[in-house]
Amino acid sequence: MRRLWINIVKGFLNLLLVFLITTAVIYFLARLFPGDTITVLYGEVNSLQDGRRILEAKLGLDIPLYIQLISFWQKILVGDWGISIFAGKPVFDLVFQRYVNSLMLSFTATLTTTAVCILLAYLSFTRRCRRLTTLVASISTSIPAALWGVMLMVALVLAKVSIPFGSIIMPLITLTIAGVGVFYTILKSLIDEALSEPFMAFYRAMGLTKSRLFLKALRYALPMYITAVLYRMGLIIAGAVATETIFNYPGMGKLLIDAFASRDYPVLLGWAVIISLTLAALNITGDVMQDILDPRVRELM
Amino acid sequence: MFFFALGCGEKVPRTGAYVAVGIVIAFLLGLGAGFLFGRGGVTTVTVPTTVTHTVERTVTFTPPILQQYTSPQPTAPTTATQAQLLQNITLKVAMSTDIRALDIHFAMGVADFEVLGKVYEALFKIAWDGSKLAYVPGLVKSYSQLNETAWLFILRNNVVFHNGKKLTAEDVKYSLLRSIRLSGIGKQLLTDAAGNPIITDIVIANETAFILKLSAPFTPLFENLAHLSTAIMPKEIALKYWDGPITSIEDVIGTGPFRLVSYEKGAKVVLQRFDGYWGNRPNVKTLEYLIMPDASARMSAVISGVVDVAVGISPDMVEALRSQGIEVYRAPGVRLVLVAINCKRVLDVRIRQALNYAVNKEDVVKEFMRGYAEIATSVASPTFPNVVSLKPYTYNVTKARQLLEEAGFVGKKLTLLTSTRSPKDIQLAQVIQQYLKNVGIEVEIVQMEHTAFLKRVFTDHDFDLAIYGPSPSSLYYALTYWRTGASLNGPEYSNPEYDKLLDEIATEPSEVKRVELYRKAQEILWRDAPAIWLYFEDILIAARPGIKGLQVLPFQMLIVDNVYV
Amino acid sequence: MKNLALGASILIILAELLLALLADLIAPYSYEAIDLGNRLSPPSPRHPLGTDPLGRDVFSRLIYAMRITFIIAIPSVLIAALMGAAVGALAAAAKGFTDFVLSRIFDVMYAIPSFFIAIAVLLAMGSSVTGIIIAISISLAPMFFRLGKSIARETLTKPYVEAAKAIGASPIWIAFNYVGRQLLATLTPTAVYMLSTAIALEATFGIIGLSVSPPTPSLGNMISEYKEYIFVAPWLAVAPITVIAVTITTLNTLANELSKRVAVFEK
């Protein structure tokens, strides 16, 4: 029990550390890049006079960088995320709404991908349709996700289907198609590995049915599979930029690109806060899951 | 050790994989073939190529001394009859870029004016009759000149803001002051060469009347007040956001035919018809803008009917869209695409002229733009009043080489900056590179993210050549881009004679003389060539065939006043 | 049958590499020869893959693009895999404080979007092929780190490793013989998959200007340019997509065959 508490405290400190470093790195990088919020606001009209000074003071860009960052951290602590001058709403509302969108996309895409993968793995396990499963995996991995989006779009236009731009459906389908190949390959190699383990021979000798055997193998494959899946979930939450852009889906990826393009520093920082915390949390979850699910690692603890 | 039996340890031949790739390719080819040839009996859709402005008679006028003007007929609707005729259309528009900010005084790009231009109005407005632009009263009902430097304006008395408040002279006063104080363009429009405000005082006579006192006579006053960067907002809002841009959609309050209902950054803007609008109310009840940066996504959306209208159509797409039964509207554009030449680095005017001679504009317009552009014959679009047609720099490699040799500019290298925001600009950069190579100039293309590009060109002036395209609202405004020290003067062009001409234009009362001054200024700029003058891009808009009465302004603004289905 | 698949995939990869290497000899046209009068023409005997929006020969551009893409993608994945997996294995073996520090470093690398990393590299060393390679490998490394760490951790708990330890095998011998081999076998498919990610990243970087500058072609910037023409001139996008699809599938096959061989050898 005490060990658990120590782990939780350690996890929390990890989160804090990653959060601090990530926000700092992102802020400094963003500020180093040529052009700032005021360049964006004035565009071609370069306003050197009072306009710039008034705005710098208003946006708090006239104080040293590190003080800006520290004051940002202070404000985050009391729940003040600032206001986006470009999006017309408080940063927290904006980022949170996009976060929910991306979280949904990430979860559903992971679920559908995993479901398809397990189905394919089962087919392959029972030695049915093996050509089909190989084919599906090959097609899926042959081109990157962003291109799958384009191809899907073209196909739907030719089929005279009205494309639901702005909804979750299209990005979901795209990410599923693009993800199946890799995750099927990972799952299958893990299951093959399981099949060669002595305990499987034992179960087989016990006379378990095919589907029970498959479940046992799946159980063996789970920890590693989850590590890979969590990694990809993190990437989708952080933003599937190309897919979101093409299907006009308001997720974290588009938010980041837009915030960077308009040098919207509060939003960039808001993005960094949520994403660094989420990814660190996912990593910790991955470790914990692996510990819980994998009996061999559990023994060591 | 059998632990390492990883990978797919199966016996299936991997030829399956190649079958898979084959299917992908066949699929793609099939798509293409199906798209290109799969339609039997293509019917050519007759497409309106020019748009005529029918709602209101445009009054082309120039402000003569002590002229008095009263708008012809109050256009206020007789509500009872019109309400019955109104349709409640939802019009969805796919845009290529998002709006920059929610504040009309910070509006800069095409998207900003497209969206916020429907929410806000200025004292004057720009009318379009299909060939020429004109500046006509907007929120102003009548005006008269009191003396050389004072104008009395009387506002329409039936104008209300979206929050229900009546438009008063106070609102105008604080909006104009805010525009001069904060807006980059507003400052450019309403300050003189030395940076002093042209409007020295705004005296409020009564609720709807006010007097503008000027520092000196200023002839382009009305055309500058027609620019939406001087748009009118309620006094409280102007004061609330005195030091920075509007940050809340509740505070986006104008007098226009539409009001802003919701805005999702990077995704969607929704406008709704404002029923208290003083003018003719449009049939469009909800106007939805979807932001779709991907060109093929915009095409898909309009073909599959997800949106009714798509803007930002490139000339290459026109045929494909028409063959799918989509109508493509075309209007001449005011955006002058040019290659700015840094005058501080390329000092010799002969070199700059040589660069102009080196580019074959006929070919660029005919082939690269598929004819959907007009070769520049002056420094501003011929749709503006007073623009003259000048002697073009005809493609002439020998002459270009000769000029370069005279100037001793042989075997030199130049960098050409482009913004990654526009794929067309990057392609154009490569075309320019090729042409300049033919006259012996090595060009290195540097692509930059848009904001970094703006900073490098307009703030740091750190470039040799740069591709961009200004869209001015009037000839005078276009000319001020090139004034010494002007903020839009990226290439740092400076010619005292030219600056003096601009001042003379602003104060010259006689119209005949002014036309002559305008001609002179254009000639000087054209001759001094601070840029390779290329072409005016046509505005191309794709619309579903069911949408009728759509009109397009040369600023790439959609006019939905007469849209019906 | 097995040898056929292996041989065929090696042949295809070699052919592609050869095409890329000998681009100057094979390409019928220069990759930058613009011909405005001949824009977007469909495939013909003169231009086997048609011409692009500036009238340049797509076939010639494609060959040069393959060269640039290989130059960028292969080293960046190799660097990422070596760096990530080796450090991951080290973290798994060392445990404790070292593991903590290394893990946090990679956590931060993972949390920072790849295009931000690209920007940082761009600022540090200008837009060059080396810069792009470094940026891509930094973006890919955390994935290899996580996988490498968990594979190494798992391998170290295996009974045969315990056995080896018991009979006094040196840690280095264990690292190479057991952990290294396991990493190689498991990570090869991932590395191959990451090649396509590297190609996609290269295209993404092109959008913010961190790409080979035009008119130099790369598969990434060709695709991002040509996909705008998918309704107008579909054959344009087909060519680079086909090359990517064939390359990735071949690499997949190769990886599979190779990992099988590693397994057989082990037995």
Side-chain angles (χ1 to χ4, degrees), chain A residues 14-293:
Chain A
N14 277 354
L15 279 182
L16 195 68
L17 201 65
V18 171
F19 154 70
L20 290 178
I21 301 176
T22 310
T23 44
V25 170
I26 286 187
Y27 194 59
F28 285 125
L29 280 182
R31 292 305 307 271
L32 269 175
F33 208 66
D36 58 11
T37 316
I38 295 156
T39 317
V40 175
L41 277 173
Y42 281 113
E44 290 86 347
V45 190
N46 129 51
S47 159
L48 288 173
Q49 313 92 352
D50 356 321
R52 187 173 184 96
R53 244 176 293 122
I54 296 171
L55 273 169
E56 269 188 352
K58 170 96 183 169
L59 302 173
L61 297 175
D62 51 351
I63 48 177
L65 270 191
Y66 66 95
I67 298 183
Q68 291 176 34
L69 188 65
I70 291 170
S71 82
F72 165 77
W73 281 336
Q74 282 172 340
K75 281 185 191 156
I76 284 281
L77 280 182
V78 295
D80 174 14
W81 293 46
I83 280 183
S84 163
I85 59 165
F86 296 102
K89 50 176 96 164
V91 173
F92 183 79
D93 296 359
L94 178 70
V95 177
F96 189 72
Q97 180 202 349
R98 301 300 173 93
Y99 183 59
V100 170
N101 286 348
S102 274
L103 217 54
M104 253 163 57
L105 180 59
S106 170
F107 267 117
T108 47
T110 306
L111 282 181
T112 50
T113 310
T114 307
V116 175
C117 282
I118 290 179
L119 179 72
L120 290 178
Y122 182 70
L123 284 178
S124 153
F125 181 79
T126 55
R127 314 212 160 255
R128 261 178 286 176
C129 320
R130 299 198 64 173
R131 271 165 200 276
L132 181 78
T133 55
T134 321
L135 205 68
V136 169
S138 297
I139 293 182
S140 159
T141 40
S142 65
I143 57 172
L147 285 178
W148 273 120
V150 177
M151 306 237 314
L152 218 60
M153 189 179 74
V154 177
L156 288 189
V157 169
L158 293 183
K160 305 242 179 279
V161 177
S162 137
I163 305 170
F165 283 100
S167 94
I168 195 173
I169 301 164
M170 295 308 293
L172 175 61
I173 297 176
T174 309
L175 291 175
T176 308
I177 294 179
V180 159
V182 186
F183 288 97
Y184 169 68
T185 315
I186 293 176
L187 190 63
K188 183 155 169 27
S189 66
L190 288 168
I191 286 179
D192 284 348
E193 192 186 316
L195 289 178
S196 61
E197 291 271 356
F199 70 87
M200 285 303 287
F202 171 70
Y203 285 134
R204 213 173 267 145
M206 271 173 67
L208 288 190
T209 57
K210 275 234 150 156
S211 25
R212 289 291 300 279
L213 270 177
F214 179 71
L215 282 179
K216 291 285 179 201
L218 207 57
R219 176 83 170 71
Y220 174 92
L222 218 51
M224 282 289 291
Y225 182 77
I226 284 178
T227 310
V229 155
L230 283 181
Y231 186 89
R232 180 159 181 267
M233 272 183 76
L235 288 185
I236 297 176
I237 295 174
V241 178
T243 316
E244 283 171 23
T245 307
I246 196 166
F247 293 117
N248 189 37
Y249 184 70
M252 292 298 264
K254 246 182 108 49
L255 180 75
L256 174 73
I257 295 288
D258 291 339
F260 177 72
S262 52
R263 303 292 189 276
D264 198 347
Y265 303 122
V267 175
L268 271 178
L269 283 168
W271 184 94
V273 170
I274 288 213
I275 289 304
S276 61
L277 291 181
T278 309
L279 296 189
L282 277 178
N283 275 348
I284 293 167
T285 320
D287 287 350
V288 170
M289 294 271 261
Q290 205 169 9
D291 291 349
I292 294 172
L293 291 171

Side-chain angles (χ1 to χ4, degrees), chain B residues 514-526:
Chain B
R514 210 162 53 230
V515 169
E516 186 53 27
L517 293 171
Y518 267 125
R519 196 183 55 76
K520 246 189 206 159
Q522 291 171 69
E523 275 170 2
I524 290 177
L525 198 56
W526 187 255

Side-chain angles (χ1 to χ4, degrees), chain B residues 39 52 187 280 293 353 421 462 522 564:
Chain B
R39 302 166 309 272
T52 36
K187 195 175 288 175
N280 286 321
Q353 287 174 345
R421 191 166 71 170
D462 177 16
Q522 291 171 69
Y564 63 96

Side-chain angles (χ1 to χ4, degrees), chain B residues 56 59 69-75 137-138 140-143 156:
Chain B
E56 195 172 353
V59 197
Y69 173 88
T70 314
S71 52
Q73 274 294 314
T75 43
V140 165
K141 188 170 79 185
S142 65
Y143 59 80
R156 292 179 189 274

Side-chain angles (χ1 to χ4, degrees), chain C residues 127-167:
Chain C
S127 181
S128 63
V129 171
T130 332
I132 300 169
I133 291 175
I134 293 179
I136 294 178
S137 45
I138 294 179
S139 325
L140 298 181
M143 169 85 176
F144 286 105
F145 174 81
R146 303 267 330 149
L147 277 175
K149 190 176 145 189
S150 71
I151 291 165
R153 193 150 70 136
E154 199 190 311
T155 313
L156 289 174
T157 66
K158 298 262 170 158
Y160 56 88
V161 177
E162 300 286 339
K165 271 188 203 155
I167 59 166

Side-chain angles (χ1 to χ4, degrees), chain B residues 101-150:
Chain B
L102 288 166
D103 196 326
I104 186 77
H105 288 163
F106 285 93
M108 194 74 68
V110 167
D112 302 343
F113 293 117
E114 168 64 44
V115 176
L116 295 175
K118 302 231 176 340
V119 176
Y120 288 96
E121 288 173 308
L123 292 177
F124 286 78
K125 67 180 183 184
I126 304 177
W128 169 240
D129 66 359
S131 64
K132 278 281 180 194
L133 292 159
Y135 306 92
V136 298
L139 293 176
V140 165
K141 188 170 79 185
S142 65
Y143 59 80
S144 52
Q145 188 167 19
L146 304 177
N147 61 48
E148 271 210 319
T149 58

